Amino acid sequence: MIENTSVLYLCCPLLLGPTLLFEKLSKGGEAPRRFYACSACRDRKDCNFFQWEDEKVSEERLKARKSENQLKRVGFTQQQQCNRFVKFASLAVHEKRFCQDCQLLLLPAEHGAHSAHSCAAVSTAQLRRPSTLLRPLENKKSYAQYLFTERSAHFLLDTVTALGYNMVLCVGTPRLHEFIKLRNLEEKQPLIKSLLLDIDYRYAQFYKQEEFCHYNMFNHHFFNGESSSAVLQAFLTESQEERVVMVADPPFGGLVKPLAHSFTLMSQTWRKLQNSDADMPMIWIFPYFFEPRILECFPSFAMLDYQVDYDNHPLYKHGKTGRKQSPVRLFTNISAKDFILPKDEGYRLCSVCERYVWSLNKHCNKCNLCPSKDGREWKHCSLCEKCVKPSWKHCTTCERCCLPEHPCSQSDETPGCFTCGSLKHKRRAGKEAVFVSGGSGPDGLKPPSRRERLKQFMTGVGGVGHNLSCTPQNPGGVQVLEGG
């Protein structure tokens, strides 16, 4: 990532903070060209923000953009939300109402204005569990919101407690934040302090300012400016006397490099306050197939076999087998040997690796590790000299293991990446947009073609943002869109 020196502009029309800087590559002699686009939306219909890096913006356009941004701002400040919650909590039970259409806690004077909406009574238990009251965001191409099952939330909470952490920085994990607060109400020792950083501003209705910050993890943007960043600073400052861990659960289609950049900035802040060379302890929850990209950014991380499942996801459920299992795993810089995975859920201790693994992840003496990534039992290929998926077979033409029906003899494509020359990944010829840097800039992308949208949706990449730069120094960038 390059250092950004541009003037910060808000991303139109969703106000998701500073945009990211991308680079459009081509195989021919054309020079790459950089542009700014939204940090948090994969689909340009959600946010059509676009501007070339060298483009001059007229005063009229800047004024129009500013006016549109003003219209999109939230109705209440965070301080006002806190004051409203104090009043709401003191109301009689029959006066506590929640507008399901507006996703808003209602004070008695507001009941009439929402009489035509779908409203419901709110219990004390629901106020303590706002994730059960709020409707999960379901836009898969921008910021879909999947919530931990109680099984996974309890495992995470029990794990950080067993590891001795008494401060938890919850980045995009509202349900874990809830469980911590509920545990504290039960006065279980030790008490755990938590801070929720989340892009969903609706949670500001339920928490104090020192408990919630409106935050975009893809560009490290605090929507309330210095007041919110000061909350994080104070939280990490307090951790000088305590043990803190960050638990992050980004959207599955999110770009690894911008996320890693944000997490690194938080870790650097913590290191300065601790006067330490060590990184802040982190648990990053993400699908297993992103392991190479995460390890590229954080070489000290290791992937655990624990399968995270979600209440409102149609596929990522506990108890399924084979390829139907949840692909979501824990990546962490905490020693894998310290994590005790539940035996009653199918995990076992590998005495050779000295860590807990999934029951079907059998130790390979030739590789000297438990190789499975997807929950199935892998097999060793003596020709490739490594373990591979059970459905793969060695192809003498390709000289590697792959699916039996792969069209190796029919393909005319040049192997490897045309940009960096690496044989470890592919990038099709033609123009592509790749992520360059965290940045800013202001609008106007034309909607992508149906083919582009389908590819983005099916591959699940480019999720929040566009992509990584693929160069000989940084191979493996994910292709997101093509031009031409």
Side-chain angles (χ1 to χ4, degrees), residues 23-26 28-34:
E23 189 173 63
K24 192 173 185 179
L25 301 178
S26 62
E30 255 184 84
R33 194 176 181 191
R34 294 177 176 181

Side-chain angles (χ1 to χ4, degrees), residues 64-77:
R65 185 180 298 148
K66 186 176 180 180
S67 299
E68 185 175 1
N69 287 348
Q70 291 292 338
L71 294 174
K72 297 287 183 178
R73 294 191 181 279
V74 292
F76 299 104
T77 65

Side-chain angles (χ1 to χ4, degrees), residues 52-67:
W52 292 112
E53 184 185 26
D54 55 0
E55 180 180 352
K56 293 183 179 180
V57 183
S58 66
E59 288 294 328
E60 291 75 11
R61 189 176 173 188
L62 288 173
K63 289 180 181 178
R65 185 180 298 148
K66 186 176 180 180
S67 299

